[in-house]
């Protein structure tokens, strides 16, 4: 928050949880004081985060969560405030403990509690408060913050509180799970695929396969030049996550890291754009393999890798984020569900991960995203037209709170193959409608 003076916060105890939450709200432009006498002579915007009654300041009565030092099931009852869902009701100028509620969502507190996992071993979205209370499609913490800033401006009109700390930005990201359909595949696999298509009567696939082999057309999954043109047209800087397989498995189907075709592709992408690691499914339970994949990708691209997004968005807290941090990853883009689109952390800006078990802020920066085309198609059963409406909704929603809008697409979803061409057209149309550069 860009104010002439810091935001002064009076609390009976300066806890790691409170300090962390305030850093999210006020961009580190705040001071926590535990002396009421000192607080009362401070100049500038002041927040009384205590049970005490102090005149002329904004008062938030603590719920208690930010003073605790353990993880335990909380009694969460939602109610409405200013047309928004809120919880942790207390008495004060704000009728709930906005700091504790935000911390609960940002830290993914509920994911540390006993919970049901989905078929891939991930935290099931149906467990979440956001899903059960119907706000999974909203960046609720961002909205709370906007309303809170408005309240602070009413209490301290002489202080310039900006509408938001940030400006809306768009970051298109891509996961390269399967770089090519035919190119670079072993001879035996291509021969087996040819006969399988023949037996099943897939004439179009036979022709396509033959044209790729003979050089008459590019591999159908090679949509990278087309994406290059879109990025150039709209002056976008994408981020690619590259699956680097050292051990092939049921969920790791990309070309091996030693493939010349794959290495040529990865070097080209790294020369033009930001790239990150897409840790394989197998490295999700093998720390040594994770480190080896990272080092291999660094060797292939000639660049240091500090960014990642887990394959299948599979991670469990806190152990998987700790492994990423130990491997030298400082930015993670896995904070979303693999089964439904929406805001897993109810937030649409990057923020530091807070390790609840260790009660400490970590160097790892979480970059939450809210839309993946695979969720729309496989999990929600949407066609391209319905997905276009959903994508536009999330764009508009994030823009309204001046957030960072991150999307996830896959190169093999954006082909000219009959089953996918509508998705390709949908994506191009979305970019042109929202990010066209004025002449």
């Amino acid at each position: 928050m860009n104010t002439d003076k810091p935001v002064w916060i009076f609390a009976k105890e300066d806890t790691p949880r409170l300090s962390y939450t305030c850093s999210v709200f006020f961009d580190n432009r705040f001071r926590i004081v535990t002396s009421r006498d000192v607080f009362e002579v401070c100049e500038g915007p002041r927040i009384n985060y205590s049970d005490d009654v102090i005149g002329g300041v904004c008062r938030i009565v603590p719920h208690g969560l930010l003073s605790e030092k353990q993880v335990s099931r909380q009694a969460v009852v939602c109610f409405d405030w200013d047309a928004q869902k809120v919880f942790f009701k207390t008495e004060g100028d704000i009728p709930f403990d906005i700091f504790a509620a935000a911390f609960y969502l940002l830290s993914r507190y509920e994911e540390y509690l006993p919970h049901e996992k989905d078929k891939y071993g991930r935290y099931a979205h149906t467990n979440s408060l956001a899903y059960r209370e119907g706000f999974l499609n909203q960046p609720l913490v961002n909205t709370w913050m906007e309303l809170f800033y408005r309240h602070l401006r009413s209490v301290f009109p002489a202080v310039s509180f900006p509408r938001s700390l940030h400006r809306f930005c768009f970051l298109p990201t891509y996961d390269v799970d399967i770089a090519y359909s035919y190119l670079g595949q072993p001879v035996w696999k291509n021969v087996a695929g040819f006969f399988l298509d023949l037996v099943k009567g897939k004439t179009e696939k036979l022709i396509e396969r033959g044209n790729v082999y003979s050089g008459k057309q590019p591999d159908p999954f090679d949509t990278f030049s087309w994406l290059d043109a879109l990025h150039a047209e709209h002056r976008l800087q994408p981020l690619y996550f590259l699956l680097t397989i050292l051990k092939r498995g049921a969920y790791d189907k990309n070309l091996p890291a030693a493939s010349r075709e794959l290495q040529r592709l990865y070097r080209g992408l790294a020369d033009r754009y930001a790239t990150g690691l897409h840790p394989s499914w197998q490295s999700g339970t093998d720390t040594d393999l994770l480190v080896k994949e990272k080092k291999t990708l660094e060797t292939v691209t000639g660049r240091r890798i500090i960014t990642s997004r887990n394959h299948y968005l599979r991670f469990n807290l806190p152990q998987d984020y700790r492994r990423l941090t130990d491997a030298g990853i400082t930015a993670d883009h896995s904070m979303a569900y693999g089964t439904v689109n929406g805001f897993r952390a109810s937030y649409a800006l990057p923020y530091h991960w807070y390790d609840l078990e260790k009660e400490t802020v970590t160097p790892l920066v979480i970059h939450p995203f809210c839309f993946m085309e695979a969720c729309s198609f496989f999990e929600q059963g949407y066609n391209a037209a319905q997905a276009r409406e959903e994508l536009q909704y999330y764009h508009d929603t994030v823009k309204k709170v001046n957030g960072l809008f991150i999307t996830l697409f896959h190169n093999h979803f954006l082909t000219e193959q009959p089953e996918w061409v509508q998705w390709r057209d949908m994506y191009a149309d979305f970019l042109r409608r929202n990010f066209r550069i004025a002449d």
Side-chain angles (χ1 to χ4, degrees):
M1 180 167 289
N2 185 21
T3 64
D4 295 331
K5 295 183 174 66
V7 176
W8 295 96
I9 300 164
F10 170 62
K12 295 297 180 68
E13 183 183 8
D14 182 359
T15 69
R17 293 182 180 186
L18 175 60
S19 180
Y20 166 77
T21 308
C22 290
S23 72
V24 175
F25 271 68
F26 304 113
D27 198 27
N28 295 311
R29 296 187 177 94
F30 68 95
R31 301 288 185 275
I32 296 175
V33 296
T34 56
S35 167
R36 176 169 174 170
D37 292 339
V38 171
F39 177 73
E40 290 183 337
V41 297
C42 289
E43 296 183 357
R46 293 179 295 165
I47 298 171
N48 171 21
Y49 188 66
S50 75
D51 294 321
D52 292 2
V53 177
I54 304 173
V57 303
C58 173
R59 185 187 183 208
I60 299 173
V61 176
H63 163 270
L65 180 69
L66 301 190
S67 296
E68 295 178 1
K69 297 179 181 179
Q70 71 283 334
V71 177
S72 58
R73 193 167 297 280
Q74 302 291 321
V76 179
V77 178
C78 288
F79 62 100
D80 289 337
W81 170 65
D82 212 337
Q84 303 298 324
K85 284 284 179 70
V86 298
F87 54 95
F88 292 159
K89 186 173 185 178
T90 60
E91 300 298 326
D93 298 339
I94 303 293
F96 72 111
D97 186 344
I98 189 171
F99 293 154
F103 178 82
Y104 184 87
L105 295 173
L106 292 169
S107 68
R108 305 308 305 129
Y109 192 100
E110 59 194 355
E111 297 191 30
Y112 288 76
L113 300 170
H115 58 262
E116 177 185 349
K117 296 186 183 298
D118 68 12
K119 63 181 180 180
Y120 296 113
R122 304 171 301 196
Y123 178 83
H125 76 268
T126 51
N127 297 314
S128 71
L129 178 69
Y131 173 78
R132 290 184 283 107
E133 291 292 338
F135 61 83
L136 183 58
N137 66 341
Q138 302 169 45
L140 194 59
V141 175
N142 298 83
T143 302
W144 289 347
M145 291 167 69
E146 294 285 331
L147 294 172
F148 188 44
Y149 298 156
R150 186 178 69 185
H151 175 74
L152 288 174
R153 286 194 297 270
S154 70
V155 178
F156 304 100
V159 179
S160 176
F161 285 96
R163 179 177 178 273
S164 177
L165 300 173
H166 306 271
R167 296 178 62 185
F168 171 75
C169 292
F170 171 53
L171 176 61
T173 73
Y174 307 93
D175 286 358
V176 183
D177 294 350
I178 309 174
Y180 300 115
S181 181
Y182 311 117
L183 189 65
Q185 299 289 354
V187 173
W188 68 265
K189 187 173 182 180
N190 277 325
V191 172
F194 176 86
F195 283 105
L196 188 62
D197 290 342
L198 184 64
V199 169
K200 292 186 176 181
K202 295 183 177 180
T203 306
E204 289 184 355
K205 290 289 185 183
L206 283 170
I207 295 172
E208 179 182 74
R209 189 184 295 269
N211 286 340
V212 172
Y213 291 161
S214 62
K216 293 180 180 178
Q217 73 175 66
D219 190 282
F221 290 1
D222 187 359
T223 57
F224 303 101
S225 295
W226 177 77
L227 286 169
D228 287 345
L230 278 181
H231 301 147
E233 179 184 352
H234 304 296
R235 300 179 188 173
L236 299 172
Q237 292 297 319
L239 172 58
Y240 283 86
F241 292 95
L242 310 177
L243 184 61
T244 307
I245 293 179
L246 300 178
K247 291 170 57 180
R248 189 173 175 85
Y251 298 109
D252 300 321
K253 300 179 180 179
N254 204 3
L255 292 173
S259 164
R260 287 180 297 177
E261 288 80 4
L262 189 76
Q263 290 188 5
R264 188 181 303 113
L265 171 66
Y266 282 6
R267 281 194 296 268
L269 290 173
D271 286 344
R272 300 190 299 278
Y273 308 116
T275 53
L277 179 67
H278 198 35
S280 69
W281 175 276
Q282 295 169 92
S283 71
T285 54
D286 187 338
T287 300
D288 290 339
L289 183 59
L290 170 66
V291 173
K292 289 177 182 177
E293 289 178 357
K294 178 176 178 289
K295 289 181 178 179
T296 299
L297 184 58
E298 289 176 333
T299 299
V300 169
T301 62
R303 284 165 172 76
R304 185 179 174 220
I305 298 297
I306 59 172
T307 305
S308 78
R309 173 186 286 140
N310 285 7
H311 199 23
Y312 280 75
L313 303 180
R314 183 174 71 133
F315 70 92
N316 288 287
L317 295 174
Q319 57 268 30
D320 289 326
Y321 269 1
R322 287 178 185 166
R323 292 192 314 107
L324 290 177
T325 303
D326 291 342
I329 297 298
T330 60
D332 179 72
H333 286 250
S334 307
M335 186 56 74
Y337 292 115
T339 45
V340 66
N341 284 324
F343 301 92
R344 182 168 177 166
S346 302
Y347 197 55
L349 284 168
Y351 67 103
H352 280 274
W353 172 51
Y354 188 94
D355 187 333
L356 265 175
E357 284 190 353
K358 294 184 176 181
E359 293 292 354
T360 186
V361 184
T362 73
L364 185 68
V365 177
I366 298 171
H367 296 254
F369 72 94
C370 58
F371 179 88
M372 175 171 66
E373 93 285 48
C375 273
S376 292
F377 180 75
F378 291 115
E379 303 294 338
Q380 298 170 194
Y382 287 0
N383 59 33
Q386 293 170 317
R388 177 189 286 111
E389 292 182 5
E390 183 185 34
L391 179 59
Q392 189 64 51
Y393 165 80
Y394 281 116
H395 166 275
D396 296 346
T397 298
V398 174
K399 189 173 184 178
K400 186 177 179 181
V401 297
N402 290 323
L404 173 60
F405 182 48
I406 301 177
T407 56
L408 193 171
F409 278 80
H410 298 79
N411 59 293
H412 63 278
F413 252 79
L414 300 170
T415 77
E416 294 183 282
Q417 295 169 302
E419 63 267 37
W420 298 117
V421 69
Q422 290 183 332
W423 290 80
R424 176 186 177 104
D425 293 342
M426 177 273 284
Y427 184 51
D429 178 66
F430 166 77
L431 294 181
R432 290 182 181 122
R433 283 189 291 115
N434 292 282
F435 303 102
R436 181 184 296 276
I437 303 299
D439 297 331

